[in-house]
Structures are given as structure tokens and as C-alpha cells.
């Protein structure tokens, strides 16, 4: 392959890998937003807690990666459930802004606790795929990236099946569209919403555990929330497939911008996309338009 | 006699759904016109067309001879058209008096530099606006709630506040969207008297979308019945209430 | 209980209708004017900074509290004001001209950002402003010619007609002057037609349109006004910091401003000031708290952000009207004592109202 094409292909591979992580984080945020109309600014911090916990268990306690992954995922699910049940639930009925503020507050608190509990140094840990890579069509792809892409697809597929075919999934959809009606039909709305949070927590944990070996385990990982927001906006708010598509696109755009556009644009590429999409096409690629009846 | 408001073969569609198909309507000056019909008939959509919330796909809308179908939405109030809303759209965080003062917006509040410096001229202007608002408060018996925040008021009072806010704009044409919905019989009787006074004392033409037939019979000069985006019948309240199509589509026996 | 004896209608809607208010606020201003005579240089510097934050918080309050336009990126306007002012002064403009000009430049930027605000609202606007703030931070770093990039930019000393204003006492008076001026201007605006139309746009756009309020113009105008005021605060902050670098204007500053506005109490200028005072006191409170804790915990750096989060969560959950709300409740208690009813401000439980169809 010519070197240009090779570069492009390599960038594409990287972009899809990073984008998959964004997609996973975006999925979690969209899940919560669809259910409760709360935009969870603390999602990135759930990711950070998961990453640090994984580090502590793998590096310090010496547990196997395969044990740590489900353990931390479960723990994050429980943590997220608790956050909703104990804190976020109390602002039901208040305007959306209150929810945003509350999640920002929770984000701050988690960040503070992580700094205090785990220290401020960046950490890292080994995964079964660290250091190994595969050659596909002449380009080198890190094995970890392949695993990430695979797991994102798997999780997205599982979620789709879950919402389509299980009672709980349908109940979640009902609660997300009309809480009162769902409640009157026997859906335990509060519990369902907390379960949605738990689900989102699990996706955040998986994203965090896979992301940390690529970048470092650091409290600044929370910034991924913002990139995920850009992904959601691009894909269309309220759309789960949109979140995945948006995430991967943002990943690709960043990689291309890093090479083909001027220096420094890569860092703000995601945010420029967000601004442009909201100005030109607020509904995103797959989003729903909403109006108000007066 | 030229009509105050004329709709001429107006059509409104949302994508494939036709909300209003070929509606022609006339509102004469000084009358109280009631628009009745089943839900989904296009009554509120007609009101939203006139107040430029929506754009008509076809047809003309003339107010005092002037075509208003292309006007920007915020210009309608300046022409002398005011409205209330089916689901109350009050400024919840403000007091009743502040809501009424906002009704005075179209009469101007002074230049920005006057407002910043709070010149004596501006204070006099504020006094004049407040005087008018106080008039409306007395007219509608809102005195007990004058300084209360709207958010905590009973539903019936909030409906009256919305009516007051529309009156503060000193309109020539007043649209009321289901003014009696949610009101108890006593409040509905008060409303009937107020609408009569609005027409007689204040000289305002009233178009009301209403389901309460007793209110319609008591107050309306003319009734128009709409169904499925078209006009079904028009005439005096008695005529329309006896019309067989209206009975079939809406009133029942 | 408090009684007013008014003889004219206009006394009822004056800025300070109660005599006791006039006396107390007068004493407060006298106290603020007298502070430099018995305060240390350090304290004067800190007070100056608090005053600058008050101005910035008031700027954000106009936009978010009064007009309902959420902005999570207001640090960008602080930065624009600071850098514009510093750059204009290095180009030779006198302080007295450069300051208002920098505010105007920031207002212009606000107008530009306000235009997309017409189309998007609520959550989306929060994200646009957030993204804008991050982009501005990066642009400042890259635009080395004007801003000195990541290396920073030295801010010339302020002076007026030959007199230097850089001494702590002089600068404190400058900050105090601008805080009081901005407060008065905004108070007058918010209780006149312009302020009412802001509130109208916030509470119900549909009704605002029906009353003839040009909603789009109001939204853009609010952005411009808010950015201008915040830019003014930024210009003053440039002198306070002395040496500008992009990391003085990060996302954290934006969120700090939002905290001030929310904790202070949305929709009131008094709230903005109370919020600014509380948030600027927070680092000091945390330091005092650390002194009480065992050594190992106290050394960790996450304490401040944790406390900030905890305070915000507390206010959102238990005191949604903010510090201003608490003030109003106390004032209501004082005014109607002993006839105060305990549930006057009780909140009603409500179901979630979907805001998808706003």
C-alpha cells in the first residue's frame, strides 16, 4: 500500500478504536438521559473511579484482569445505583438545570474523593493484551484496540436486545417516555431509573477499565465526558445507535485532524464539531426533533 | 362593513397531516365570536396561525385590511392582537403585577440609557404603565393577589391573571383559548360578566375557543363550529346548536 | 414587623422602599469605603479579588438567572476581557479607555455566541458554551502573536491621569467603584422593561412572543450584556493576576462562576454577590478544615473540589433558592414576625415534567 493510504488506514484504525471508547461512554450518558432527562456530568468520574479501582486491584492486590473486570463493573453498577437512589432521585420534578447542577456536584465530590483516596499520580496497569498487536491488511492494530471495538459492538448489541425483548427493557422505555403513565401501569419507576443508572455505571466501568491502559489512569480522564457529549450531539440526542455512530465519528475526526489540519486543532476538534452541529443541525444525525404545543 | 379579521381559504399542514384545510372565517368589529368543535378540529391551530406561531401553507390572513400572514411573530401584539393560552403560559417566577406589566411591553419602556440611569421621565412612564395594570387588577378583582408570586396561586386565579395580562396590552382583538376550562361554575359566571364588560366597556372584539356551551350561549353573538380543519356551521348560538351536522360531529343529543 | 409610610405611589416601587434598608445599605457602603484604613495589604488584595468575582458573577447571573440561558463557559469571556484589555494597554491605550473597550470587545464576542443560542436552548446551550470555553482556551494558547501563547503575557500597571492605580488601596477602590457601578446599572435594568423582558423570555417564550417581545433579540442582547460585564471583570482580573496565562481561565473557572450563581440563588443580583463571596471564601474554609484533620488526609489535594461539590449538592437538594432564598426567608420572618407562617416557602412535591417539548 502507498504510504498515504497506509497512514490513512492507520489513522482510521486508531480513530475507530478511540471512537469506540467515546461511543461506550456516550452510550451510558444517553441511557441515563433517555430515562430520566438528567444529563450525567459525573459519568466520566464513574469511569475514573473504575479505572483507579482496577489499578488498585490489579497492581496492588495482584488480582487477575479477568476477575477484576466483572468485579469492578459490578461495583460501579452498584455505585451508580446508589447515586441515583440516594441523591439524584430527590430532585425529581425540578427543572433540568437542577439535575445538571447536581451531577456536576457529584462529579466534583467523586473527583475529590479519588484524589484523596488514590493520590494524584498517574498510574497504569497491564491487561492481557498489552504490548501485543496484530497486522491487518498491512496496518498494525493494537490487540487492545481490537478488544475494545469488539466489546463496544457486543455491549451495543446486548443493549439493543435488552431494550427490545426483555420486560425490564420495555419498562425502561415506558418510564422514559412518561413516568406517571408507566407508574400507573405497574412499572416501579424509581427502581427502574436506578437500574438504568446501574447499567450506565457498568458501561462506564468497562470503558474506564479498557481506556486506562491506553491513556494513563488519572483524574483528568473525566474530560472524556465532554468528548462523549460531543459524540452524543453529533449522533443525535436520545438515540442509542446515534451515540455509537457519533462516538466513532468523533474518534475518526480527531485522528484525521491531528495529521491533516494545523497543529493544536486535534485537541479542540471534538468541541468544534459540537458547536458546528448545534448551530447547523441541532438534531444531529439520528436525533429526534421536539417542539412544544401551545 | 369590513371585517376586523379575515381568514381566506387558509391551509395549515404539519408534514403530511393537514390540520386546517381551506378555512374561511370572518370576525366583525365589536362582536364576541365563539369557536367550538371537537378536539383536533384545528381551533387552537387557527389561533396559532393568526398569531404567527405557525406558517400557513396557503391562503390569506388580513387584519384591518392588512395582510399579516408573513409578519414576524413578535409584531402581532403591536398590531393590537392579544391572546391567552390553553395551557397557562404565565411567567411563574414573577408576581401578578409583574406579569401584567409585561403585558404593557408593546407600549415601550423607554430607551436603555433611560432605564440604566432611571431618569424621572422613566419613572413617570413606569407609573403610567402601573396605573393601567392597577386598573386591570381592579377590573378583574385580582387585588388580593397583586403582589403574590404566580407560581403558588390557584388555577382559577392564574387563568384570570392571564386574561389580565392580555388586557394590559390594550388589544383591539382578543383571543381566548378555552378560558373556562378548569373553572368552577362561579368562576365561569364571573368570566361571562367580564367578557361582556370587555366587549361593551372596553370595546374589544373577542374570539373565544370554548367547550362550555352555557358560557357560549350566554356571551357569544356568533358561533362558528369547526371539525377536522374545516368550518362546519356558523350562525347565532341557537342556530349552530340546532344544526344537525354540529350535533352529529360534536354536541350529541 | 416593618411598616412603611409612603405618601406617593412611586415610593412603593423604588429601589429601596424601606427606610431601614436605606440606612443599612448606606452603612455597608460606608464600611466598604473605610476598609482600606484599617485592613492589611493582603486583605485588601483579597477583597479586591472578591469584588472582581462579584462583577463576573453578576454578569453570569444576568444571562443564566434572569434570561434562563445556561452558560457553562463564561470563563471564556473573562479571558477575552482580560487579554483584550492587556493587549490594548500594551498598544498604548490609557487604562480609562482600554477598560471599557475591552468590555465592549467581550460584549461583541457575547453577541456572536448568542446567535446560536437562538436556535438551541437549555442543555444544548450549556454544551455549546462549554465547548466554546474550551476552544477559546486553546485559541489563546495558540495565538502567540497577540496573547503570548502558553508562555504568558505581562499586564501593564493601571493608571488614571498620571496617578498610579496599582497600589492595593487604589486598586481596591477601583474594584469597589466598578462593582457598585455595575450593581446599580444592572439593578436599574432588571427592574425596568429590559429586565422584565429577560424574565419573560426565561419563563415562557410563547407568551413573550405573544406580548410582542422580540425573543431572539432579547436572547442575543442578554448574551452581549452578560459577556460585557464579565469581560469588565476579566479586565480588572488581569491587573489582579499581573501575568496572564491561559490556565488562569480554565473550565474550572467557568464552573466556579456557575456555582456562584446557583448557590447564590438564581434570578437575583444579591444572590450573585452572596454566591461570589461564599465561593471565594471556600478555599480559606477548606484550608482551615485541613488544619483540623489528621496529617495524611490533609495533604491530599482533592479536598477543595470535594467540598465545592458537597456545598453545591447541599444547595441543590435542600436550598434550591440558594443563599438569596435563605435571605428572603429570613427577611420574611423578620418582616412578619410574630405572624410568620412556617410553611410560607414550603416546596410542593411534583412529578417529573418532561422538558423534551419545551
Amino acid at each position: 500500500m502507498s504510504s498515504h493510504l497506509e497512514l490513512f488506514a492507520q489513522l482510521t484504525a486508531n480513530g475507530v478504536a478511540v471512537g469506540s471508547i467515546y461511543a461506550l461512554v456516550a452510550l451510558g450518558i444517553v441511557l441515563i438521559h433517555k430515562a430520566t432527562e438528567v444529563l450525567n456530568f459525573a459519568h466520566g468520574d464513574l469511569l475514573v473511579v473504575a479505572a483507579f479501582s482496577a489499578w488498585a486491584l490489579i497492581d496492588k492486590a495482584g488480582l487477575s484482569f479477568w476477575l477484576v473486570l466483572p468485579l469492578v463493573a459490578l461495583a460501579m453498577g452498584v455505585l451508580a445505583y446508589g447515586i441515583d437512589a440516594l441523591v439524584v432521585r430527590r430532585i425529581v420534578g425540578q427543572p433540568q438545570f437542577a439535575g445538571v447542577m447536581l451531577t456536576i456536584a457529584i462529579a466534583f465530590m467523586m473527583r475529590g474523593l479519588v484524589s484523596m483516596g488514590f493520590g494524584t499520580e498517574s498510574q497504569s496497569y497491564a491487561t492481557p493484551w498489552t504490548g501485543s498487536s496484530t497486522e491487518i491488511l498491512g496496518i498494525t492494530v493494537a490487540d487492545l484496540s481490537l478488544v475494545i471495538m469488539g466489546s463496544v459492538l457486543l455491549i451495543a448489541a446486548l443493549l439493543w436486545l435488552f431494550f427490545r425483548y426483555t420486560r425490564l427493557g420495555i419498562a425502561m422505555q415506558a418510564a422514559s417516555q412518561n413516568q406517571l403513565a408507566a407508574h400507573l401501569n405497574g412499572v416501579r419507576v424509581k427502581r427502574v431509573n436506578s437500574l438504568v443508572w446501574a447499567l450506565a455505571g457498568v458501561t462506564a466501568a468497562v470503558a474506564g477499565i479498557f481506556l486506562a491502559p491506553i491513556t494513563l489512569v488519572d483524574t483528568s480522564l473525566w474530560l472524556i465526558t465532554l468528548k462523549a457529549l460531543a459524540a452524543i450531539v453529533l449522533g443525535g440526542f436520545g438515540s442509542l445507535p446515534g451515540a455509537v455512530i457519533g462516538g466513532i465519528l468523533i474518534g475518526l475526526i480527531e485522528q484525521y485532524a491531528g495529521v491533516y489540519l494545523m497543529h493544536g486543532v486535534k485537541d479542540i476538534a471534538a468541541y468544534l464539531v459540537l458547536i458546528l452541529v448545534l448551530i447547523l443541525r441541532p438534531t444531529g444525525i439520528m436525533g429526534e426533533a421536539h417542539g412544544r404545543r401551545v | 362593513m369590513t371585517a376586523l379579521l379575515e381568514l381566506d381559504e387558509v391551509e395549515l399542514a404539519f408534514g403530511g397531516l393537514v390540520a386546517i384545510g381551506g378555512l374561511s372565517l370572518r370576525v366583525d368589529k365589536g362582536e364576541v365570536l365563539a369557536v367550538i368543535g371537537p378536539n383536533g378540529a384545528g381551533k387552537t391551530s387557527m389561533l396559532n396561525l393568526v398569531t404567527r406561531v405557525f406558517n400557513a401553507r396557503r391562503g390569506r390572513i388580513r387584519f384591518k385590511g392588512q395582510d399579516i400572514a408573513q409578519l414576524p411573530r413578535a409584531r402581532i401584539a403591536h398590531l393590537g392582537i392579544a391572546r391567552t393560552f390553553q395551557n397557562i403560559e404565565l411567567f411563574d417566577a414573577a408576581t401578578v403585577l409583574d406579569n401584567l406589566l409585561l403585558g404593557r411591553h408593546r407600549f415601550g419602556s423607554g430607551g436603555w440609557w433611560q432605564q440604566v440611569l432611571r431618569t424621572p421621565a422613566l419613572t413617570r412612564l413606569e407609573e403610567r404603565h402601573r396605573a393601567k395594570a392597577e386598573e386591570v387588577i381592579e377590573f378583574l378583582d385580582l387585588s388580593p393577589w397583586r403582589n403574590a408570586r404566580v407560581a403558588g396561586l390557584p388555577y382559577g386565579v392564574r387563568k384570570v391573571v392571564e386574561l389580565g395580562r392580555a388586557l394590559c396590552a390594550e388589544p383591539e382583538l382578543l383571543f381566548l383559548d378555552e378560558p373556562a376550562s378548569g373553572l368552577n361554575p362561579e368562576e365561569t359566571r364571573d368570566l361571562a360578566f367580564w367578557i361582556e364588560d370587555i366587549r361593551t366597556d372596553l370595546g374589544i372584539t373577542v374570539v373565544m375557543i370554548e367547550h362550555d356551551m352555557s358560557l357560549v350561549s350566554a356571551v357569544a353573538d356568533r358561533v362558528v363550529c369547526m371539525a377536522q380543519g374545516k368550518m362546519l356551521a356558523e350562525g347565532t348560538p341557537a342556530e349552530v346548536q340546532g344544526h344537525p351536522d354540529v350535533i352529529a360531529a360534536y354536541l350529541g343529543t | 414587623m416593618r411598616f412603611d409610610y409612603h405618601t406617593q405611589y412611586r415610593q412603593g416601587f423604588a429601589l429601596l422602599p424601606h427606610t431601614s434598608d436605606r440606612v443599612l445599605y448606606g452603612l455597608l457602603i460606608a464600611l466598604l469605603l473605610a476598609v482600606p484604613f484599617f485592613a492589611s495589604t493582603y486583605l485588601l488584595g483579597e477583597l479586591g479579588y472578591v469584588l472582581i468575582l462579584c462583577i463576573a458573577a453578576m454578569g453570569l447571573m444576568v444571562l443564566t438567572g434572569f434570561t434562563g440561558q445556561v452558560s457553562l463557559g463564561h470563563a471564556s469571556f473573562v479571558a477575552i476581557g482580560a487579554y483584550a484589555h492587556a493587549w490594548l494597554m500594551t498598544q498604548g491605550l490609557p487604562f480609562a479607555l482600554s477598560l471599557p473597550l475591552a468590555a465592549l470587545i467581550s460584549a461583541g464576542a457575547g453577541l456572536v455566541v448568542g446567535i446560536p443560542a437562538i436556535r438551541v436552548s437549555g442543555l444544548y446551550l450549556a454544551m455549546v458554551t462549554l465547548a466554546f470555553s474550551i476552544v477559546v482556551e486553546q485559541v489563546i494558547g495558540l495565538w502567540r502573536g497577540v496573547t503570548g501563547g502558553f508562555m504568558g503575557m505581562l499586564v501593564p500597571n493601571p493608571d488614571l491621569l498620571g496617578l498610579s492605580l496599582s497600589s492595593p488601596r487604589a486598586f481596591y477602590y477601583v474594584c469597589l467603584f466598578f462593582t457598585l457601578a455595575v450593581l446599580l446599572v444592572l439593578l436599574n435594568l432588571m427592574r425596568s422593561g429590559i429586565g422584565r423582558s429577560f424574565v419573560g423570555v426565561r419563563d415562557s417564550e410563547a407568551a413573550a412572543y405573544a406580548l410582542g417581545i422580540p425573543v431572539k433579540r432579547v436572547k442575543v442582547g442578554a448574551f452581549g450584556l452578560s459577556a460585557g460585564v464579565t469581560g469588565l471583570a476579566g479586565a480588572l482580573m488581569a491587573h489582579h493576576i499581573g501575568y496572564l496565562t491561559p490556565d488562569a481561565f480554565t473550565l474550572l473557572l467557568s464552573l466556579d462562576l456557575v456555582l456562584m450563581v446557583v448557590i447564590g440563588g438564581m434570578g437575583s443580583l444579591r444572590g450573585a454577590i452572596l454566591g461570589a463571596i461564599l465561593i471565594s471564601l471556600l478555599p480559606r474554609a477548606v484550608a482551615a478544615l485541613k488544619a483540623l484533620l489528621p496529617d495524611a488526609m490533609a495533604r491530599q489535594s482533592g479536598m477543595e473540589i470535594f467540598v465545592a461539590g458537597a456545598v453545591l449538592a447541599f444547595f441543590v437538594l435542600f436550598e434550591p433558592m440558594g443563599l438569596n432564598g435563605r435571605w428572603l426567608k429570613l427577611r420574611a420572618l423578620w418582616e412578619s414576625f410574630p405572624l410568620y407562617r412556617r410553611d410560607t416557602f414550603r416546596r410542593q412535591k411534583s412529578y417529573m415534567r418532561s422538558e423534551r417539548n419545551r
Side-chain angles (χ1 to χ4, degrees):
Chain A
M1 258 204 275
S2 81
S3 66
H4 276 299
L5 211 53
E6 213 177 281
L7 177 63
F8 184 79
Q10 188 73 57
L11 288 175
T12 309
N14 292 349
V16 174
V18 174
S20 305
I21 298 274
Y22 293 158
L24 201 52
V25 181
L27 264 179
I29 298 180
V30 170
L31 271 176
I32 295 178
H33 181 79
K34 260 184 101 80
T36 59
E37 283 199 15
V38 170
L39 191 65
N40 186 15
F41 268 90
H43 205 76
D45 293 274
L46 282 171
L47 205 139
V48 170
V49 174
F52 268 104
S53 310
W55 165 72
L57 288 174
I58 293 178
D59 224 54
K60 295 283 207 65
L63 294 175
S64 140
F65 180 86
W66 293 109
L67 180 61
V68 169
L69 180 60
L71 205 64
V72 172
L74 195 65
M76 283 307 112
V78 171
L79 177 63
Y81 187 101
I83 290 176
D84 181 54
L86 297 172
V87 185
V88 179
R89 204 184 272 179
R90 292 176 194 274
I91 53 146
V92 164
Q94 291 194 31
Q96 206 173 36
F97 185 66
V100 170
M101 284 294 111
L102 190 59
T103 54
I104 290 180
I106 294 172
F108 278 8
M109 288 199 284
M110 284 205 286
R111 212 170 308 157
L113 284 173
V114 164
S115 283
M116 290 196 284
F118 292 106
T120 48
E121 287 171 26
S122 306
Q123 309 288 357
S124 189
Y125 53 84
T127 66
W129 306 281
T130 310
S132 62
S133 51
T134 330
E135 277 260 337
I136 301 180
L137 301 173
I139 46 173
T140 329
V141 183
D143 274 355
L144 186 57
S145 304
L146 288 173
V147 171
I148 292 173
M149 287 187 257
S151 8
V152 171
L153 284 173
L154 182 66
I155 291 178
L158 282 173
L159 280 175
W160 184 77
L161 287 170
F162 171 74
F163 280 117
R164 201 110 194 278
Y165 296 112
T166 65
R167 281 194 68 179
L168 186 56
I170 296 177
M172 281 181 181
Q173 287 190 60
S176 85
Q177 289 178 23
N178 190 328
Q179 279 195 356
L180 188 53
H183 174 72
L184 292 171
N185 275 293
V187 173
R188 319 250 324 241
V189 173
K190 286 188 196 172
R191 181 179 294 189
V192 159
N193 283 344
S194 293
L195 282 172
V196 171
W197 270 80
L199 212 57
V202 168
T203 59
V206 173
I209 295 176
F210 279 136
L211 179 61
I214 303 180
T215 66
L216 293 170
V217 182
D218 197 293
T219 46
S220 68
L221 272 183
W222 79 269
L223 285 168
I224 209 175
T225 317
L226 306 178
K227 302 251 176 98
L229 286 178
I232 296 175
V233 165
L234 179 59
F237 242 100
S239 162
L240 286 168
V244 175
I245 293 175
I248 296 185
L249 280 175
I250 294 281
L252 287 170
I253 291 172
E254 277 192 336
Q255 293 296 314
Y256 297 147
V259 170
Y260 297 126
L261 293 180
M262 66 179 249
H263 163 70
V265 174
K266 179 183 183 192
D267 295 327
I268 52 174
Y271 309 114
L272 287 173
V273 168
L274 189 155
I275 294 175
L276 277 170
V277 170
L278 281 180
I279 294 178
L280 298 172
R281 196 190 149 93
T283 48
I285 296 177
M286 297 185 67
E288 319 142 349
H290 294 296
R292 181 155 202 223
R293 292 197 85 193
V294 278
Chain B
M1 175 178 65
T2 40
L4 188 62
L5 178 72
E6 269 180 83
L7 273 74
D8 199 4
E9 291 298 319
V10 171
E11 267 183 43
L12 172 68
F14 300 109
L17 175 67
V18 177
I20 297 178
L23 178 71
S24 293
L25 188 66
R26 185 190 89 247
V27 180
D28 297 318
K29 188 158 170 55
E31 73 169 347
V32 176
L33 175 72
V35 179
I36 66 175
N39 285 319
K43 310 187 294 294
T44 303
S45 300
M46 181 261 302
L47 170 53
N48 283 334
L49 266 182
V50 175
T51 52
R52 300 288 298 121
V53 178
F54 301 132
N55 294 316
R57 187 169 68 177
R58 206 172 296 152
R60 279 187 305 188
I61 306 174
R62 270 193 297 263
F63 178 72
K64 295 203 292 194
Q66 175 194 357
D67 188 353
I68 62 171
Q70 305 299 323
L71 276 187
R73 195 170 159 189
R75 291 296 310 159
I76 293 293
H78 294 269
L79 294 177
I81 300 177
R83 68 170 290 182
T84 64
F85 293 86
Q86 194 170 4
N87 304 309
I88 302 176
E89 294 275 337
L90 283 173
F91 306 118
D92 279 340
T95 62
V96 168
L97 188 57
D98 283 329
N99 270 269
L100 297 186
L101 282 175
L102 263 156
R104 301 287 302 162
H105 177 88
R106 78 161 173 128
F107 297 105
S109 323
W112 66 268
W113 53 273
Q114 283 179 307
Q115 293 182 29
V116 165
L117 295 174
R118 199 72 180 182
T119 58
L122 186 85
T123 313
R124 281 195 297 273
L125 181 61
E126 286 273 317
E127 271 183 329
R128 281 201 296 278
H129 283 322
R130 280 170 181 257
K132 189 68 177 67
E134 302 280 5
E135 264 180 49
V136 170
I137 288 177
E138 262 209 50
F139 176 66
L140 294 174
D141 297 329
L142 286 171
S143 304
W145 297 280
R146 184 175 165 275
N147 289 319
R149 276 184 73 223
V150 162
L153 293 178
Y155 185 80
V157 177
R158 295 170 72 190
K159 282 230 116 159
V160 176
V161 172
E162 218 187 30
L163 176 61
R165 187 181 64 184
L167 287 178
C168 278
E170 292 182 36
E172 284 185 58
L173 178 59
L174 176 64
F175 281 101
L176 301 175
D177 199 346
E178 302 201 20
S181 82
L183 295 185
N184 62 42
E186 183 188 332
E187 291 163 336
T188 311
R189 269 197 303 276
D190 284 338
L191 183 65
F193 285 128
W194 282 328
I195 293 178
E196 189 53 46
D197 286 341
I198 288 171
R199 186 257 298 269
T200 322
D201 297 339
L202 301 177
I204 299 175
T205 309
V206 177
V207 175
M208 60 182 210
I209 298 171
E210 193 44 72
H211 287 295
D212 186 337
M213 294 314 297
S214 62
L215 178 63
V216 169
S217 310
V219 154
D221 298 326
R222 208 159 55 94
V223 177
V224 160
C225 181
M226 282 179 71
Q228 296 183 334
K230 291 195 167 51
M231 172 138 50
L232 211 53
E234 75 172 292
T236 65
E239 280 171 18
V240 170
Q241 280 178 305
H243 197 288
D245 287 344
V246 173
I247 294 175
Y250 178 51
L251 289 173
T253 41
Chain C
M1 292 200 107
R2 178 152 75 166
F3 298 97
D4 299 316
Y5 296 98
H6 291 156
T7 50
Q8 287 182 309
Y9 183 80
R10 62 174 58 188
Q11 289 174 322
F13 63 92
L15 189 56
L16 295 171
H18 311 290
T19 324
S20 55
D21 276 348
R22 287 197 290 269
V23 167
L24 287 172
Y25 281 119
L27 282 175
L28 179 64
I29 293 180
L31 183 68
L32 286 171
L33 286 169
V35 158
F37 294 108
F38 53 83
S40 68
T41 309
Y42 171 71
L43 188 63
L44 275 182
E46 290 303 298
L47 280 176
Y49 184 61
V50 172
L51 289 172
I52 293 174
L53 285 180
C54 286
I55 299 178
M58 283 196 280
L60 182 58
M61 183 62 85
V62 165
L63 187 64
T64 305
F66 284 98
T67 320
Q69 308 280 297
V70 181
S71 170
L72 293 181
H74 243 54
S76 51
F77 298 120
V78 179
I80 291 175
Y83 274 98
H85 176 63
W87 182 76
L88 286 170
M89 280 194 81
T90 54
Q91 300 301 308
L93 247 72
F95 171 78
L97 234 96
S98 162
L99 200 67
L101 211 59
L104 279 171
I105 293 176
S106 185
L111 288 175
V112 168
V113 176
I115 294 176
I118 299 173
R119 302 195 64 194
V120 307
S121 66
L123 215 51
Y124 299 148
L125 184 59
M127 291 192 290
V128 166
T129 49
L130 192 64
F132 178 70
S133 163
I134 296 176
V135 169
V136 163
E137 200 187 322
Q138 187 77 341
V139 165
I140 288 175
L142 294 173
W143 198 5
R144 255 169 281 132
V146 164
T147 65
F150 293 102
M151 294 301 294
M153 180 183 193
L154 188 63
V155 181
N157 279 326
D159 62 27
L160 186 65
L161 306 169
L163 285 161
S164 166
L165 295 171
S166 56
S167 73
R169 182 181 287 202
F171 192 63
Y172 167 82
Y173 279 126
V174 169
C175 294
L176 184 62
F177 166 74
F178 277 110
T179 308
L180 291 175
V182 165
L183 180 62
L184 206 60
V185 164
L186 289 180
L187 274 173
N188 278 339
L189 271 181
M190 290 304 118
R191 64 195 183 107
S192 309
I194 289 179
R196 284 195 292 263
S197 57
F198 282 4
V199 171
V201 165
R202 175 191 73 194
D203 284 346
S204 172
E205 274 186 40
Y209 271 120
L211 294 172
I213 297 174
V215 171
K216 296 180 182 162
R217 254 192 286 156
V218 167
K219 282 185 176 179
V220 175
F223 250 102
L225 176 63
S226 169
V229 170
T230 310
L232 177 67
L236 289 172
M237 192 178 289
H239 288 299
H240 177 86
I241 306 178
Y243 192 84
L244 295 177
T245 52
D247 47 66
F249 307 105
T250 59
L251 186 58
L252 244 31
L253 177 61
S254 290
L255 291 177
D256 263 348
L257 288 174
V258 173
L259 248 73
M260 289 177 207
V261 161
V262 171
I263 290 177
M266 300 270 274
S268 94
L269 291 169
R270 182 192 302 119
I273 293 180
L274 290 174
I277 294 175
L278 181 71
I279 296 297
S280 50
L281 283 178
L282 217 53
R284 228 158 308 281
V286 171
L289 199 68
K290 277 189 186 179
L292 298 170
L293 285 175
D295 227 12
M297 263 197 95
R299 254 184 283 125
Q300 297 294 359
S301 60
M303 183 71 110
E304 262 188 46
I305 200 168
F306 175 79
V307 172
V311 170
L312 178 61
F314 171 81
F315 272 96
V316 170
L317 290 172
F318 302 114
E319 189 67 81
M321 280 167 63
L323 289 169
N324 184 55
R326 189 43 52 186
W327 175 293
L328 289 176
K329 291 175 190 176
L330 289 172
R331 190 176 71 177
L333 173 65
W334 180 51
E335 279 182 350
S336 52
F337 185 86
L339 301 173
Y340 179 73
R341 287 158 299 183
R342 200 160 41 122
D343 283 345
T344 306
F345 291 95
R346 188 181 200 84
R347 282 178 287 151
Q348 288 175 322
K349 224 174 164 52
S350 51
Y351 292 105
M352 180 185 111
R353 254 185 68 205
S354 173
E355 289 190 26
R356 288 199 179 104
N357 296 319
R358 274 212 116 250

